Amino acid sequence: MTDREQLNLLRLESNIRKLMGLVRAQQDEIESLRKTILCQENQLKEFDELLKIAETKNRTLLTAKALSAEDKEVKDAKARLAKLIRDVDKCIALLETE
């Protein structure tokens, strides 16, 4: 083998090692992103559950309002619940954008 061929072989080996390192780094990045996605999916499920609970409470408050004579308290409770629902919706929107 000539000196030039040996030099080319060494360069090829070096490039292969670099490429293998890049592949490992990309695989690590992919695994990290998969874990992040799984975590965010779990958070989204939790926020969906919170939203369902808030919607149930909202329906209950609406029913209570229809039966209640104390309109001011119901309005305050409804406003607090509406804010809670907006907060949960914002959290879900943030998770969906990530």
Side-chain angles (χ1 to χ4, degrees):
M1 190 181 304
T2 67
D3 288 341
R4 184 173 184 174
E5 289 173 335
Q6 285 180 337
L7 181 61
N8 285 337
L9 182 59
L10 289 174
R11 285 183 185 158
L12 178 61
E13 288 174 357
S14 174
N15 287 339
I16 288 173
R17 274 191 235 98
K18 288 179 186 176
L19 183 60
M20 289 173 64
L22 290 172
V23 168
R24 273 189 234 109
Q26 289 300 310
Q27 287 172 337
D28 292 344
E29 179 69 16
I30 288 169
E31 184 61 30
S32 173
L33 291 172
R34 284 184 178 148
K35 288 179 183 178
T36 300
I37 288 170
L38 183 61
C39 180
Q40 289 179 345
E41 285 174 347
N42 289 335
Q43 286 179 333
L44 183 58
K45 287 178 186 177
E46 291 175 17
F47 287 130
D48 281 339
E49 285 299 316
L50 288 173
L51 181 59
K52 287 177 186 176
I53 291 168
E55 288 172 342
T56 301
K57 288 180 180 180
N58 188 33
R59 283 191 297 273
T60 302
L61 284 173
L62 289 174
T63 303
K65 179 183 176 185
L67 301 173
S68 175
E70 297 178 21
D71 198 38
K72 171 78 171 117
E73 290 178 18
V74 174
K75 284 183 181 179
D76 291 343
K78 185 177 177 181
R80 288 191 306 269
L81 185 57
K83 183 184 181 318
L84 176 63
I85 290 171
R86 284 192 306 275
D87 290 345
V88 170
D89 285 341
K90 286 178 185 177
C91 291
I92 290 172
L94 285 173
L95 284 172
E96 288 175 348
T97 60
E98 291 182 8

